[in-house]
Amino acid sequence: MNHTNTISGDSTDRVDGRDKVTGTAKYTAEIPLPNLVYGVLVGSTIAKGVIKKIDTSAAEKAAGVISVITHKNSTKLFGLKKSKTAKKLDLGLRVFHSKDIVFNGQPIALVVADRLEQAQYAASLVKCTYEQAPHTTDFGTHLDQARPSSSKWLSDTKRGDVTAWSNAPFKVDQAYTTPQEVHNPMEMHSTTAIWEGDEKLTVYDKNHAVQDIRDTLAKALKLEKEQVVVNSEFIGGGFGSGLRVWPHTFAAIIAAKMLKRPVKVSVTRPQMFTMTGYRPATAQKVSIGATKDGKIVGIKHEAIGQTSEYEEFAESVTGITKMLYACPNLETNYKVLPLTYSTPIWMRAPGEATGSFALETAMDELAYSLNMDPVQLRKKNYAETHPDDNKPWSSNHLTECLIKAARQFDWEARKPEPRSSSDRDWWVGTGMAVGSWGAWRAPATARAVLDSKGNLLIQSATSDMGPGTSTTMVKIASDASGIPMGKIRFELGKSNLPPSPGQGGSVTVASVGSAVYDICTEIKQKLLDIAVETLGETYKEAKIEDVFLINGKMGIKGKPASLVTFADLMEKKNITEVEATKTSSSGEEGGKYAFYSFGAHFAEVYVHKYTGAVRVTRFVSCVDAGRIMNNKTASSQISGAVVMGIGMALMEEQHMDHQHGRLVANDFAGYHIPVQADVPNIEVIFVDKADPYLNKMGAKGLGEIGLIGAAAAIGNAVFHATGKRVRNLPITPDKLI
Amino acid sequence: MAKKNKNPLHTSRRTFFKQSAVLAAVAVTPSTVLEAAENRTFDKAAYALEQVPITLSINGKVQKVMVEPRVTLLDLLREQLGLTGTKKGCDHGQCGACTIHIDGRRVNSCLTLAIMQEGREITTIEGLANGEELHPMQAAFIKHDGLQCGYCTPGQIMSAVACVNEGHTNNDFEIREFMSGNLCRCGAYPNIVNAIKEVAQ
């Protein structure tokens, strides 16, 4: 790829910062609409069975109640009528279309009232009796019932001699578990549905994939895509939970259709634990064999992930093991275990976050058994090419990540013996781990409009759930076009904008950024074309690379006389703006290289000698994500992912009462996420070297990489501090006493 | 459930409240309302009489509003007054997204009923800036990138302003401790500390 490397990477404030700090940014549930009414969902109180009788009479009589919708009276949607269709269209739970109960807390009724409080109160009056069936919720005791995943791309892998690890002189062979985690973005999910007749549906829905959501809704409702509009401009976090249509969205759509007026359905925080997905629990086994000098000869990685009984969710838990280290002999397999829960969904660094915990903890254990420095062990096993197919890396600066992070952390000063350092009542330890995440690019389209005053509007149906997409796109556009950031506006979060992939998998900058970059060139080309047509000679020989825009003027490098204002150019053609739309995709280099981001994490922990409390006191991450588009937001993104890693390592865990098949800690008091006091200063370093092949900016992805390996680095530091190896996340005090 | 209670001694507080409201209003209530009450559309009739007038000062502006006693200050702000800068992150007092100031003190507005605030001075994120000029804390949050998705941000900023006023900014540890009631899932915590330190100086 002709790599131009012109994005400056400087730190730029968020373009929507002012909207966010003044409270003027409108999130999904905050759009003022006339005639709006409120829907509150009622959840089932059993985990499995069928509804025998649902009594809504008291709720219906309550003040302000307009309607109570259940499977008995719901208008039926095309896609949810038959379970076969719902499965085929990937619609998930058939909310209000069946009397079957498939998980505890499943929505069984929607109470719609004039005011929120009325709907909340009336929801408490809905009574339901059930015919109960036995449920299965205990992951750990049903592992033998796991079955192979139907996703072919996750299928078992074998490379070379699969028994090689067991014949090696040094080996690790251990089991690891990670619990269910819940995304818990600070903004709770919400959908407001507005029908115009039966022909046009508009939804304000918290999601970060407006066009995927639109396509799913259009299929479910048997409408054309053009008849459905999905808006999600400001998103209060997502981390993957906004990548599919959830039951509350269908509930709002059903209610709005039945009542012929806008209906808003917001889920509650407890409902966020059962109605909008979670990261599935895993049970893993990692076996690594190495020679005396630390060369890995074979790895075996087996994983079981949890799914629901009504759908299969699968993720790439063993993916990282297939590519991170040079290793001729490998075996991986992945199975799913259906349980009586709702269906999981991708959560930040899906698969790799949990897979890397097992692999990178095992690597630390191997380093100790070899009496080798864990950084050296990783350097020793650096893969020069992708071990699966020997494809060259598009770029791989993992070693540089290790060197830079180790230097910043002062790793050399470390005494490797466990339990060798203490400070008052605390054991002190340090640990490290590495991570990797595929760098992808999907086709994306951008539309740009330049007016005669030099204002540039760029549109694409991408999302910004927090990474700073708007800011980065404006910055790319500014650097690519020469138009100052203050004159550029980037519009996103609406399904009727030009096509763009959903925000997931760290693809946004590589994909949408490319489209933004290219559309700026296209605008320059259009201006040049006008100049050639209307002004002649001076411009005829000019190459597009030599065209520059400055202060509302276009010019050709080396030709001062060529400067002409946009206004003059447009006047010549009797137009007031120049408009262009263009789709950008990766070229043939897409198939030639292996594209990945890399990262190295170093953690220091204090572990209290008597209570087992763990405090992360220092954290250094060095990341190779290609060229960095905006240092400020990029650092925040990595640092934020590390915070999620602290949660994963030390506290996050979904608790289930297996007797009733019901969650027992479904709020922030029971499910802990890191708070301010749990988080130290986090030092983020970027290699900041362009990837030559993924796109013209040289950028790889940033969204996931900061989390991958973070929990293992903390766990390894806890081992160094205490001499106790905790292989079951989270590392709570009870496991250390 | 109120309607099950045939025995007046078992009448719930809520039902009692409604009944007394209805009875007290008999003299001035059209017979249709009383009929409605008897026809078990009781709740609906009672509701009309259950709104309470209160006077609040919100962001320096005195406002008279009618609220049901069960309405939280958070829902009054967001759903009735359109002040959606104050966020709902849990509705349980566990996340701090709804933090506002009542007479200068930081309060979780989801944990307080609107009618309890009669006559109080309430400041929300919308009232923090001086016209176009941002409050120093708002400017510092932008400068230090103390936000990502922005949803917890108004609560963080309201809490941060109070934290400085309370004098709990003597070191990083103290700031972290006194800002731990405001959750941020994007993990902007270190940058938030930097923003607060700058304003505190």
Side-chain angles (χ1 to χ4, degrees):
Chain A
M1 181 166 291
N2 183 12
H3 172 249
T4 43
N5 197 12
T6 52
I7 310 303
S8 70
D10 299 346
S11 283
T12 299
D13 291 345
R14 284 171 199 265
V15 295
D16 50 6
R18 195 181 175 93
D19 294 335
K20 287 178 174 176
V21 301
T22 54
T24 51
K26 291 267 181 224
Y27 294 76
T28 295
E30 299 168 354
I31 310 295
L33 291 164
N35 212 20
L36 178 71
V37 289
Y38 296 83
V40 169
L41 288 164
V42 180
S44 72
T45 54
I46 66 156
K48 201 170 178 181
V50 289
I51 296 173
K52 219 155 62 179
K53 186 165 182 273
I54 186 157
D55 177 7
T56 57
S57 55
E60 278 158 15
K61 285 182 193 127
V65 171
I66 298 161
S67 179
V68 181
I69 299 166
T70 69
H71 70 284
K72 291 197 296 188
N73 63 348
S74 169
T75 195
K76 300 294 185 258
L77 304 182
F78 164 76
L80 297 180
K81 266 185 205 158
K82 290 184 184 153
S83 88
K84 213 172 142 188
T85 322
K87 253 200 171 82
K88 197 176 141 207
L89 299 178
D90 195 23
L91 302 181
L93 185 79
R94 291 170 58 224
V95 64
F96 306 153
H97 281 63
S98 156
K99 57 183 181 177
D100 294 340
I101 299 296
V102 290
F103 63 88
N104 210 315
Q106 170 186 328
I108 55 167
L110 180 77
V111 179
V112 185
D114 289 323
R115 294 193 178 200
L116 178 61
E117 296 77 15
Q118 297 167 332
Q120 283 170 335
Y121 171 65
S124 74
L125 303 177
V126 174
K127 297 290 163 205
C128 188
T129 54
Y130 309 87
E131 201 148 325
Q132 240 176 303
H135 59 264
T136 310
T137 51
D138 194 347
F139 181 70
T141 57
H142 292 87
L143 294 174
D144 56 336
Q145 288 167 27
R147 55 171 164 77
S149 161
S150 59
S151 295
K152 286 210 172 74
W153 66 285
L154 296 167
S155 60
D156 306 352
T157 307
K158 286 190 171 79
R159 192 157 77 208
D161 172 13
V162 297
T163 62
W165 72 267
S166 60
N167 300 321
F170 288 84
K171 52 192 174 237
V172 172
D173 179 21
Q174 289 292 351
Y176 306 86
T177 64
T178 63
Q180 255 186 56
E181 288 186 83
V182 188
H183 307 64
N184 271 321
M186 293 314 300
E187 178 200 25
M188 298 179 286
H189 279 260
S190 178
T191 304
T192 302
I194 307 135
W195 283 93
E196 290 165 48
D198 289 328
E199 301 299 311
K200 173 102 193 275
L201 171 70
T202 301
V203 296
Y204 293 91
D205 176 58
K206 177 197 172 90
N207 69 71
H208 40 96
V210 281
Q211 290 184 330
D212 294 344
I213 301 294
R214 174 200 61 190
D215 295 355
T216 302
L217 291 180
K219 278 189 262 175
L221 301 165
K222 222 176 180 179
L223 293 173
E224 297 300 321
K225 285 181 186 179
E226 295 69 34
Q227 293 172 282
V228 180
V229 175
V230 176
N231 294 325
S232 193
E233 192 186 354
F234 282 100
I235 306 158
F239 315 108
S241 69
L243 286 171
R244 81 175 298 191
V245 178
W246 296 112
H248 71 274
T249 301
F250 283 123
I253 289 167
I254 289 169
K257 198 175 171 76
M258 289 172 71
L259 303 175
K260 298 187 179 1
R261 63 193 291 187
V263 177
K264 173 160 81 178
V265 178
S266 298
V267 305
T268 63
R269 184 54 65 182
Q271 288 172 344
M272 291 283 290
F273 287 72
T274 52
M275 294 186 192
T276 56
Y278 56 91
R279 188 198 297 282
T282 70
Q284 305 178 56
K285 278 186 77 178
V286 178
S287 317
I288 312 178
T291 59
K292 194 182 162 197
D293 62 350
K295 195 84 192 123
I296 295 173
V297 296
I299 309 181
K300 183 178 181 183
H301 188 171
E302 302 165 277
I304 297 172
Q306 160 194 17
T307 185
S308 71
E309 287 170 341
Y310 59 98
E311 281 180 292
E312 180 178 311
F313 173 82
E315 58 180 5
S316 172
V317 179
T318 62
I320 195 163
T321 308
K322 298 175 195 174
M323 52 67 62
L324 194 53
Y325 298 113
C327 169
N329 307 304
L330 175 93
E331 182 180 9
T332 68
N333 69 64
Y334 172 73
K335 290 178 180 169
V336 289
L337 173 59
L339 295 171
T340 322
Y341 287 82
S342 58
T343 308
I345 188 76
W346 300 285
M347 179 167 159
R348 198 175 205 168
E352 315 293 25
T354 44
S356 68
F357 169 71
L359 176 68
E360 286 298 286
T361 307
M363 283 295 282
D364 200 62
E365 299 192 57
L366 180 65
Y368 274 99
S369 85
L370 287 161
N371 198 18
M372 186 174 181
D373 177 67
V375 175
Q376 289 310 319
L377 179 63
R378 271 119 179 141
K379 284 184 186 164
K380 179 102 192 170
N381 291 287
Y382 173 79
E384 296 290 343
T385 56
H386 193 297
D388 254 353
D389 51 15
N390 283 321
K391 265 189 198 168
W393 305 111
S394 62
S395 58
N396 179 343
H397 301 293
L398 177 60
T399 305
E400 189 170 337
C401 290
L402 282 165
I403 293 168
K404 283 192 163 153
R407 191 188 302 142
Q408 173 84 5
F409 195 82
D410 197 16
W411 181 257
E412 275 193 16
R414 176 189 198 244
K415 284 187 286 180
E417 295 73 32
R419 223 174 165 111
S420 58
S421 172
S422 68
D423 181 358
R424 289 156 295 160
D425 288 342
W426 302 78
W427 295 113
V428 183
T430 53
M432 57 79 56
V434 301
S436 179
W437 179 260
W440 287 291
R441 174 174 171 189
T445 307
R447 174 177 181 261
V449 182
L450 176 72
D451 71 14
S452 60
K453 289 176 185 147
N455 297 303
L456 181 64
L457 168 70
I458 302 180
Q459 301 170 310
S460 189
T462 183
S463 301
D464 187 351
M465 63 169 137
T469 308
S470 302
T471 311
T472 305
M473 294 307 149
V474 168
K475 190 152 186 303
I476 290 172
S478 178
D479 287 355
S481 68
I483 294 171
M485 284 187 65
K487 299 206 94 173
I488 303 173
R489 194 163 69 84
F490 183 72
E491 198 183 348
L492 48 53
K494 294 174 185 150
S495 66
N496 53 12
L497 295 175
S500 166
Q503 189 155 57
S506 304
V507 303
T508 305
V509 166
S511 312
V512 186
S514 296
V516 168
Y517 189 96
D518 288 346
I519 201 68
C520 291
T521 310
E522 193 69 13
I523 287 286
K524 280 186 193 172
Q525 183 67 55
K526 289 222 163 179
L527 290 171
L528 178 64
D529 290 349
I530 297 172
V532 170
E533 187 190 328
T534 61
L535 299 171
E537 279 316 301
T538 328
Y539 303 92
K540 268 204 178 112
E541 304 296 315
K543 290 186 195 139
I544 184 68
E545 297 83 45
D546 293 331
V547 174
F548 64 90
L549 309 182
I550 188 165
N551 297 335
K553 299 186 188 93
M554 184 198 75
I556 313 293
K557 269 182 209 158
K559 292 186 180 178
S562 69
L563 271 179
V564 53
T565 67
F566 300 153
D568 285 349
L569 270 178
M570 290 180 198
E571 205 187 312
K572 293 265 190 258
K573 288 283 286 181
N574 209 13
I575 51 174
T576 53
E577 55 187 37
V578 171
E579 185 257 345
T581 301
K582 196 171 164 44
T583 301
S584 300
S585 326
S586 57
E588 57 182 25
E589 59 284 339
K592 288 186 192 161
Y593 299 94
F595 295 92
Y596 288 86
S597 293
F598 297 89
H601 302 293
F602 287 71
E604 178 192 74
V605 299
Y606 273 51
V607 182
H608 198 270
K609 287 176 181 173
Y610 311 118
T611 68
V614 181
R615 295 262 176 266
V616 179
T617 47
R618 235 194 125 193
F619 209 101
V620 175
S621 291
C622 183
V623 169
D624 161 26
R627 282 280 284 129
I628 298 305
M629 299 290 99
N630 181 12
N631 260 310
K632 190 171 239 178
T633 51
S635 298
S636 294
Q637 208 175 348
I638 295 300
S639 163
V642 169
V643 172
M644 205 171 260
I646 293 173
M648 181 179 174
L650 301 180
M651 59 196 86
E652 293 190 39
E653 180 174 24
Q654 169 98 279
H655 293 281
M656 172 60 81
D657 166 4
H658 296 299
Q659 194 188 337
H660 298 101
R662 186 182 304 153
L663 297 176
V664 290
N666 47 353
D667 60 20
F668 285 132
Y671 182 96
H672 290 184
I673 65 169
V675 302
Q676 184 61 268
D678 295 318
V679 176
N681 189 31
I682 297 163
E683 296 156 72
V684 179
I685 308 162
F686 291 113
V687 171
D688 201 12
K689 284 184 181 159
D691 183 286
Y693 305 111
L694 190 61
N695 53 58
K696 287 176 187 160
M697 299 92 65
K700 299 196 268 191
L702 272 174
E704 338 279 328
I705 188 67
L707 178 56
I708 303 168
I714 294 167
N716 294 341
V718 168
F719 173 77
H720 182 233
T722 63
K724 281 192 183 163
R725 183 66 72 180
V726 181
R727 301 185 183 90
N728 311 103
L729 290 182
I731 306 168
T732 43
D734 54 300
K735 295 173 186 167
L736 292 170
I737 296 173
Chain B
M1 278 176 43
K3 287 186 190 71
K4 277 187 191 163
N5 300 320
K6 296 278 188 227
N7 183 342
L9 291 175
H10 293 158
T11 299
S12 72
R13 189 164 171 270
R14 185 181 153 72
T15 310
F16 173 74
F17 185 82
K18 274 182 221 151
Q19 285 170 341
S20 17
V22 172
L23 292 175
V26 162
V28 291
T29 308
S31 57
T32 46
V33 174
L34 295 175
E35 244 170 66
E38 278 178 9
N39 289 342
R40 300 184 65 85
T41 44
F42 195 68
D43 272 340
K44 295 189 188 197
Y47 163 64
L49 302 164
E50 227 180 54
Q51 301 254 344
V52 178
I54 57 168
T55 306
L56 307 168
S57 168
I58 302 174
N59 299 328
K61 203 172 114 194
V62 176
Q63 299 205 32
K64 283 190 176 172
V65 288
M66 296 289 287
V67 289
E68 279 190 79
R70 62 183 167 180
V71 173
T72 64
L73 182 55
L74 173 61
D75 286 333
L76 171 72
L77 292 170
R78 282 173 67 82
E79 305 298 341
Q80 268 178 261
L81 303 178
L83 291 169
T84 53
T86 306
K87 304 302 183 193
K88 184 183 279 189
C90 71
D91 222 9
H92 275 52
Q94 296 169 344
C95 79
C98 66
T99 307
I100 53 153
H101 295 173
I102 298 179
D103 292 339
R105 288 184 63 197
R106 49 177 160 167
V107 171
N108 285 337
S109 61
C110 76
L111 286 189
T112 181
L113 296 171
I115 53 162
M116 294 158 65
Q117 309 311 325
E118 172 74 34
R120 305 278 181 114
E121 187 73 44
I122 290 158
T123 308
T124 71
I125 191 73
E126 289 93 343
L128 204 57
N130 182 11
E132 283 299 294
E133 190 194 334
L134 293 179
H135 184 282
M137 192 63 79
Q138 290 172 312
F141 265 63
I142 294 176
K143 181 181 162 192
H144 293 279
D145 211 31
L147 63 138
Q148 289 181 41
C149 80
Y151 197 79
C152 74
T153 310
Q156 298 279 2
I157 290 174
M158 296 310 285
S159 214
V161 169
C163 186
V164 172
N165 292 340
E166 292 157 14
H168 293 309
T169 54
N170 293 306
N171 53 54
D172 288 13
F173 181 80
E174 192 181 18
I175 293 173
R176 289 194 184 113
E177 198 61 33
F178 280 86
M179 286 300 291
S180 279
N182 290 83
L183 305 187
C184 171
R185 189 56 158 161
C186 300
Y189 296 130
N191 294 352
I192 290 171
V193 171
N194 292 336
I196 295 173
K197 265 158 65 174
E198 181 178 287
V199 175
Q201 273 161 12

